[in-house]
Amino acid sequence: EALRAVNRAQGEHARIDPADPWIEQVAADLVAHRGRSLLVAGRRQPAVVHALVHAMNQSLGNMGKTVDLREAPQKPGTRGLPELAEAIRQSKVETLLILGGNPAYDAPADLEFAALMKRVKTTIRLGLHADETSSLSLWHLPATHFLESWGDARTSDGTLVPIQPLIEPLFGGRSALEIIARFARSETTSPYEIVRQTFRKESKLADTGFDPAWRRYLHDGLLAKSARPAIHPAVDWNAIARAVPSLPSTAPLSIENLELVLDRDARLDDGRFANNGWLQELPDPITKLAWDNAALMSPKTARALGVATGDVVRLDLGGRSLEIPACVLPGQADYSVSVPLGYGRVKAGRVGSGVGFNAYVLRTTQAPDLATGLKLARVNRTHRLACTQDHFSMEGRDLVREQVLGEQPEAPERESSAHGPLITPPTFAGDHQWGMVIDLNSCVGCNACVVACQSENNIPIVGKDQVERGREMHWIRLDRYFAGSEEDPALVHQPVACVHCENAPCEVVCPVYATAHSDEGLNVQVYSRCIGTRYCMNNCPYKVRRFNYYNYNERPLDRLVMGPLTEKGMAEPLKIQKNPDVTVRIRGVMEKCTYCVQRIDQAKVGARVAAGESGRIEIPDGTIVPACAQACPARAIVFGDLADPGSRVSKLKADPRNYALLGELNTAPRTTYLSRQRNPNPRMPEAAGGRA
């Protein structure tokens, strides 16, 4: 229907009248932007749907402009996991070498791979952790992390790139390249030499020019002109027409015929990161759940089933069942239940074992991602879910501002006052005045800033029990807001950290002056002076201060991921993980965002050394980048010197979309936001439910 709508919009013949006015408007919009649009099919869709999408992209003139197809490498003559399972059943496998995977946990349930492994005489597992598969293997070989070993890879367009080690292996592990070379009795087993051999083959260089080209390859991080050639396949319209009727037809979804969607978790992926405490405690971008997964369903589906968030439900599919708590989520498709994979592991490690529920028991070779016929019934018990969305709430205030593209944003009435500000913001004498702007139009809610800040500033994890009490320690929280109907809401993310108020409410209530202002406009925290009254925390309208209720960095060793012990009894890997430029806080101390003041000081020291004793310190715009801005893939966070009118942050402060969070309080925050812009199509029918 979508393809015919595109053809109709281009004046081409179509035999069927439009069935959905919304599709007609989308088609007209696409045709009006020929060569500047892009259609993408979801990875769960069958091949014929991808063929239809390719046909539409070609019909719209997108090929070679917004769509670039490359010649795929020839697939090796290997078979999949089902063929391996069948070979084991027929006793054709005597030695099984597993490189990094964890099939005892995540293989399709109908293969019963964990039981099959016990029938193999010799099983060898190369892995970073001793997990479910390692426990069933005769030998476990310690693997090197990819940051500890040499390797190479291909980008999406086929460009050859090197993987260079950043550190020596901490525990003397071996890489997959080395293990395969040893089993294949290769002439060299050195990963470094193997990577050099691959580069020599791909670059087609003689010995005389090899070493300079190799150094250039490592310096540039890629082999120039190694991308695979672009291709322009023609559309076989007859083949597509013959394939369309073969699309599977299923009964309409209903309470009696629910859909099950299985997908990798936004934090733990397929479960490989389950033992990472940072990721377990990181709230999900949409559900805001930490330390758990849940069965996600729409409000309409939940009402029909009599289910509320936290109720344990039993999912039955094809003779397999799973009990898991429910989570009601606006925007979820009706009669569709989504369950994240990657949880419920039994041998993940001290952090990840026993966390969440294993949805792999419902995943089969025939329906690895999507299945219908799911039955759901409520179990008479509940499960506590740690949801952080309502923690540190700033309810009833203007937090996120939106505008239609091209319209002038309007400030709320209570922010403008005929009498002017009640308190004039102070002036600061420093040569540099630091500030930040966060563009809500660019933020995608990926949580990269939260983890980067945690890594940079030695922020501990506190565990599910403390998160339930609202005591998570993240210096940045990613608030999530829905707007519109619960069936099809708009979604907005807003990162919130200390906004470094010039009129800081926290400073006036501290009895020991532990929170103060620097000459450069930073709201600083003197940890050694703090006595933990928490007055500042109570007086902060932004709720961005965190209190150390326990000595999180001095926990008993039996609760840590153990490693070689130092003379002082600390686990060495945990010691290496800490940033030596940032103080490790103790119990009873208040902490918060510092704009990564350690990076600011390092840049100032470097500029001072470069300038000499008599020169003025010059720090070019963009020299100092806080951890959150450095990690942001959308470049939504911009930091810089407000005293420099030419800096990017100064220009963004002058943008009409710029506004101060809770600006009516006259705290004069140094961190401000750019309002979110929406670009609705005015021709979209109102019945579309906000899909414009």
Side-chain angles (χ1 to χ4, degrees):
E1 183 182 349
L3 179 59
R4 288 168 177 149
V6 169
N7 291 337
R8 274 191 297 271
Q10 299 183 98
E12 299 181 17
H13 177 67
R15 291 179 297 176
I16 298 180
D17 292 332
D20 190 338
W22 186 82
I23 292 181
E24 291 294 317
Q25 292 298 332
V26 171
D29 215 353
L30 291 170
V31 172
H33 298 83
R34 285 180 54 86
R36 293 179 291 160
S37 60
L38 175 65
L39 286 87
V40 180
R43 65 175 182 83
R44 300 188 189 96
Q45 298 300 323
V48 62
V49 174
H50 283 266
L52 285 167
V53 169
H54 173 73
M56 281 190 282
N57 276 317
Q58 187 175 74
S59 179
L60 291 168
N62 294 334
M63 305 308 299
K65 296 178 180 178
T66 62
V67 181
D68 188 17
L69 299 182
R70 300 281 175 166
E71 182 179 343
Q74 185 176 2
K75 291 185 178 181
T78 57
R79 290 176 291 179
L81 206 58
E83 288 79 9
L84 172 61
E86 182 60 28
I88 295 176
R89 292 190 187 96
Q90 297 179 10
S91 302
K92 295 181 179 180
V93 179
E94 293 188 0
T95 301
L96 178 62
L97 175 61
I98 303 174
L99 301 175
N102 189 9
Y105 164 70
D106 58 19
D110 55 330
L111 296 182
E112 299 180 345
F113 202 85
L116 290 177
M117 285 185 62
K118 300 176 182 179
R119 300 171 59 174
V120 180
K121 180 179 179 181
T122 304
T123 52
I124 306 170
R125 164 80 191 299
L126 175 71
L128 285 170
H129 311 283
D131 52 23
E132 293 85 350
T133 300
S134 295
S135 65
L136 299 176
S137 300
L138 181 63
W139 294 93
H140 173 81
L141 308 179
T144 55
H145 191 272
F146 80 95
L147 296 178
E148 300 174 324
S149 55
W150 283 94
D152 48 29
R154 295 276 187 180
T155 63
S156 58
D157 68 355
T159 299
L160 183 69
V161 295
I163 300 174
Q164 304 179 61
L166 299 182
I167 58 175
E168 290 287 340
L170 293 176
F171 302 108
R174 297 287 184 264
S175 71
L177 287 180
E178 183 175 356
I179 296 301
I180 294 176
R182 289 178 180 271
F183 272 82
R185 293 183 172 86
S186 176
E187 295 180 0
T188 177
T189 60
S190 168
Y192 174 75
E193 292 298 333
I194 295 173
V195 173
R196 281 171 60 91
Q197 288 178 1
T198 302
F199 174 74
R200 184 187 299 273
K201 177 182 177 181
E202 293 293 329
S203 62
K204 300 180 175 63
L205 292 172
D207 293 339
T208 54
F210 177 78
D211 287 334
W214 168 256
R215 289 191 293 269
R216 170 59 63 182
Y217 173 57
L218 298 182
H219 174 272
D220 295 345
L222 58 88
L223 176 60
K225 300 180 180 179
S226 60
R228 300 193 182 277
I231 58 175
H232 304 283
V235 174
D236 189 339
W237 297 96
N238 293 328
I240 293 178
R242 290 193 301 269
V244 168
S246 66
L247 282 170
S249 58
T250 58
L253 297 181
S254 64
I255 292 299
E256 300 299 326
N257 181 37
L258 296 173
E259 176 186 64
L260 175 66
V261 179
L262 298 173
D263 207 353
R264 293 181 170 187
D265 185 67
R267 299 156 294 166
L268 308 187
D269 196 19
D270 58 357
R272 68 188 67 185
F273 301 123
N275 204 44
N276 188 320
W278 287 353
L279 299 179
Q280 286 281 9
E281 194 156 296
L282 184 68
D284 183 90
I286 308 298
T287 65
K288 307 304 293 182
L289 294 180
W291 293 100
D292 252 323
N293 62 336
L296 312 181
M297 62 187 70
S298 70
K300 179 180 178 179
T301 305
R303 286 192 295 267
L305 293 168
V307 173
T309 296
D311 290 342
V312 177
V313 297
R314 186 179 67 252
L315 307 181
D316 292 293
L317 180 68
R320 307 177 189 278
S321 64
L322 170 68
E323 293 188 357
I324 185 173
C327 180
V328 182
L329 187 66
Q332 182 77 10
D334 292 333
Y335 310 124
S336 179
V337 179
S338 296
V339 183
L341 299 168
Y343 291 84
R345 293 188 54 183
V346 295
K347 292 185 181 298
R350 297 175 184 268
V351 173
S353 294
V355 176
F357 303 86
N358 184 9
Y360 279 108
V361 299
L362 301 176
R363 185 171 182 264
T364 63
T365 53
Q366 298 301 317
D369 305 309
L370 196 67
T372 56
L374 175 71
K375 304 294 182 181
L376 187 150
R378 181 181 173 185
V379 179
N380 291 325
R381 70 174 188 276
T382 60
H383 178 83
R384 295 186 305 168
L385 294 173
C387 180
T388 65
Q389 176 61 27
D390 296 328
H391 297 176
F392 316 116
S393 176
M394 301 183 291
E395 295 181 14
R397 293 162 172 165
D398 298 296
L399 307 177
V400 175
R401 300 186 188 175
E402 296 183 283
Q403 65 181 99
V404 176
L405 186 64
E407 293 183 359
Q408 186 71 17
E410 296 182 3
E413 294 181 1
R414 60 182 176 179
E415 187 171 331
S416 58
S417 174
H419 303 287
L422 299 177
I423 303 176
T424 303
T427 57
F428 304 99
D431 292 334
H432 307 283
Q433 299 298 318
W434 307 110
M436 180 180 286
V437 173
I438 301 176
D439 189 352
L440 298 181
N441 212 44
S442 300
C443 178
V444 297
C446 67
N447 274 324
C449 59
V450 181
V451 177
C453 177
Q454 187 167 20
S455 173
E456 173 73 17
N457 294 292
N458 300 332
I459 300 174
I461 60 172
V462 300
K464 181 179 178 180
D465 177 70
Q466 293 298 301
V467 172
E468 287 179 348
R469 300 170 187 264
R471 295 177 177 178
E472 60 266 24
M473 294 297 296
H474 294 134
W475 288 3
I476 303 175
R477 72 173 187 271
L478 200 69
D479 291 339
R480 174 264 290 149
Y481 298 101
F482 292 116
S485 65
E486 66 179 20
E487 293 82 11
D488 194 6
L491 178 65
V492 181
H493 292 99
Q494 184 177 44
V496 181
C498 176
V499 294
H500 293 267
C501 309
E502 294 180 3
N503 287 329
C506 58
E507 296 175 10
V508 296
V509 296
C510 181
V512 294
Y513 203 55
T515 176
H517 238 80
S518 72
D519 288 340
E520 297 181 343
L522 269 67
N523 177 251
V524 297
Q525 190 76 17
V526 185
Y527 300 130
S528 59
R529 191 182 293 164
C530 179
I531 59 174
T533 63
R534 289 183 284 169
Y535 294 159
C536 60
M537 186 178 186
N538 292 332
N539 218 39
C540 174
Y542 302 96
K543 304 306 174 189
V544 290
R545 289 175 166 265
R546 305 292 178 258
F547 183 69
N548 278 274
Y549 286 89
Y550 299 101
N551 275 332
Y552 298 113
N553 290 293
E554 296 182 5
R555 304 179 208 186
L557 288 176
D558 62 351
R559 296 179 61 187
L560 299 176
V561 179
M562 295 293 290
L565 300 182
T566 64
E567 295 179 359
K568 296 183 179 180
M570 289 297 292
E572 187 64 24
L574 196 65
K575 179 181 177 182
I576 296 174
Q577 176 258 318
K578 300 296 182 185
N579 184 353
D581 296 325
V582 179
T583 303
V584 177
R585 285 76 63 189
I586 61 174
R587 183 178 186 179
V589 167
M590 190 68 66
E591 59 184 65
K592 63 165 191 72
C593 164
T594 65
Y595 273 166
C596 286
V597 66
Q598 67 278 2
R599 296 192 177 195
I600 297 175
D601 290 341
Q602 289 171 356
K604 289 164 62 178
V605 169
R608 188 176 296 112
V609 171
E613 296 182 0
S614 58
R616 183 182 184 277
I617 298 178
E618 296 287 347
I619 303 178
D621 185 37
T623 301
I624 303 172
V625 183
C628 56
Q630 182 181 12
C632 180
R635 300 294 184 262
I637 304 174
V638 178
F639 178 82
D641 188 359
L642 298 177
D644 177 10
S647 66
R648 187 182 173 203
V649 70
S650 295
K651 294 177 181 178
L652 291 176
K653 292 283 186 182
D655 191 294
R657 293 194 293 134
N658 184 71
Y659 76 96
L661 184 63
L662 305 183
E664 67 273 15
L665 300 181
N666 193 38
T667 58
R670 285 291 179 92
T671 296
T672 55
Y673 295 85
L674 297 183
S675 61
R676 184 176 179 92
Q677 292 181 312
R678 296 198 181 276
N679 186 22
N681 187 335
R683 296 184 299 275
M684 288 291 186
E686 295 181 358
R691 286 188 290 175

